Amino acid sequence: MDDFILISNLNDFIFCPYSIYLHNIYMNTDEEIYHASPQTKGKLSHATIDEKTASNKKDDLQSLPIIFLRLGIMGKIDIYRTKEKLLIERKYNLKTIYRGQLYQLWAQYFCMKEMGYEVEKLAFYEISTNKTTFVELPTKEDRAELEKLIEDFRNYDPEIEFLQNENKCKHCVYCNLCDKTNIENVYT
């Protein structure tokens, strides 16, 4: 399972592939060194999923480990409502749904399907506003796009392919620890 990609890393890869490397470097250190308020809020709100207390409905599956052998991806879902056949990805704040977040939800969808679950609806749930936003099921073209992303992830070489994006860098929690930029992040 060492070469399986964590689904949560797909969104991070879209944001900045190098941030995954930095996360692995700093993950065993004190999070106060690099976590900003958005990450702290997100982690606290995600605790209810990890503890399986986000829903009290007996038919809701929470924090279910998932895997898709053919694509080599694995992770956990937030909530699957069995009666509604609805897969939900929770976010603390969701002003915009970014492509990386869609990839994350699509990957969860394909894992669930391979594992034999019927998923007929997908949604994001914004915790801060108690708002649910439904999204379309992925098409064949979307699946091909996700597979291309996974291939790009597997072939990524940070020594060759780092492209600095000033706007992303200044919103990256690892910005002040990154050896690829001297931009200050907006959280300092």
Side-chain angles (χ1 to χ4, degrees):
M1 298 247 183
D2 285 344
D3 40 345
F4 273 70
I5 295 172
L6 292 175
I7 291 170
S8 59
N9 281 347
L10 297 176
N11 187 27
D12 295 339
F13 185 76
I14 294 298
F15 179 78
C16 174
Y18 197 66
S19 72
I20 297 167
Y21 167 77
L22 293 172
H23 174 76
N24 286 316
I25 295 277
Y26 292 106
M27 71 183 192
N28 292 324
T29 63
D30 184 357
E31 290 176 348
E32 289 183 18
I33 293 172
Y34 60 88
H35 262 204
S37 61
Q39 286 73 29
T40 302
K41 285 179 185 175
K43 186 172 182 173
L44 288 172
S45 62
H46 209 271
T48 60
I49 288 294
D50 297 333
E51 296 162 6
K52 299 182 180 185
T53 59
S55 172
N56 57 7
K57 295 178 181 178
K58 68 178 180 174
D59 294 325
D60 283 0
L61 301 179
Q62 300 175 73
S63 193
L64 177 72
I66 54 174
I67 191 165
F68 192 165
L69 296 173
R70 196 178 77 65
L71 290 182
I73 56 177
M74 60 188 260
K76 288 184 179 181
I77 62 156
D78 286 349
I79 295 178
Y80 174 66
R81 297 217 161 115
T82 58
K83 285 184 178 177
E84 299 171 60
K85 300 176 183 167
L86 170 62
L87 178 60
I88 302 170
E89 174 67 17
R90 292 166 40 106
K91 300 291 183 193
Y92 182 76
N93 232 351
L94 193 64
K95 294 181 176 103
T96 303
I97 297 173
Y98 293 101
R99 200 71 175 167
Q101 293 165 324
L102 277 174
Y103 290 145
Q104 191 176 356
L105 188 55
W106 292 349
Q108 292 171 7
Y109 167 80
F110 289 119
C111 287
M112 295 287 287
K113 296 290 281 182
E114 184 181 73
M115 292 172 61
Y117 289 92
E118 292 183 55
V119 180
E120 295 178 359
K121 296 181 272 185
L122 302 176
F124 287 97
Y125 173 73
E126 185 176 19
I127 297 164
S128 63
T129 63
N130 195 30
K131 180 182 169 192
T132 300
T133 304
F134 289 88
V135 296
E136 296 292 321
L137 294 175
T139 64
K140 288 180 186 177
E141 293 80 12
D142 295 333
R143 180 176 169 142
E145 187 178 328
L146 176 65
E147 289 178 3
K148 173 75 168 93
L149 171 71
I150 292 167
E151 180 184 333
D152 291 348
F153 187 107
R154 291 192 187 286
N155 295 323
Y156 178 74
D157 182 347
E159 295 301 318
I160 299 170
E161 302 178 46
F162 182 78
L163 296 174
Q164 185 178 42
N165 179 322
E166 186 174 326
N167 188 45
K168 287 183 178 183
C169 287
K170 68 183 180 183
H171 288 92
C172 178
V173 295
Y174 302 107
C175 180
N176 296 335
L177 304 169
C178 182
D179 60 330
K180 302 285 187 188
T181 185
N182 58 5
I183 296 169
E184 290 291 320
N185 73 23
V186 297
Y187 307 112
T188 56

